[in-house]
Amino acid sequence: MEVIEYLQLSEGIPHVRIDLYNVNGKIYFGEITFFHGAGLGRFTPEEWNEKFGDLIRLPNK
């Protein structure tokens, strides 16, 4: 697959990280991560948790 094809895996997902690796010119897929730090990270100060959360727009069903 080409890089753009891997990145298309994120279509429709409001926040995701796709890990790709370039090894000797060949692109390898690593993982798709929906929550950094397994979702266990803390914001300091705490009010930034809500400020960043307010920036994510989830799709309406």
Side-chain angles (χ1 to χ4, degrees), residues 6-52:
Y6 283 114
L7 298 179
Q8 289 172 343
L9 295 172
S10 68
E11 285 183 16
I13 302 172
H15 178 80
V16 66
R17 186 186 79 218
I18 298 178
D19 293 349
L20 303 175
Y21 300 94
N22 181 337
V23 179
N24 297 322
K26 185 170 179 181
I27 303 298
Y28 291 90
F29 171 80
E31 67 177 354
I32 296 177
T33 304
F34 300 99
F35 303 100
H36 297 288
L40 300 174
R42 301 260 183 220
F43 287 96
T44 305
E46 179 66 31
E47 65 261 16
W48 281 96
N49 186 47
E50 187 171 346
K51 289 180 183 185
F52 279 114

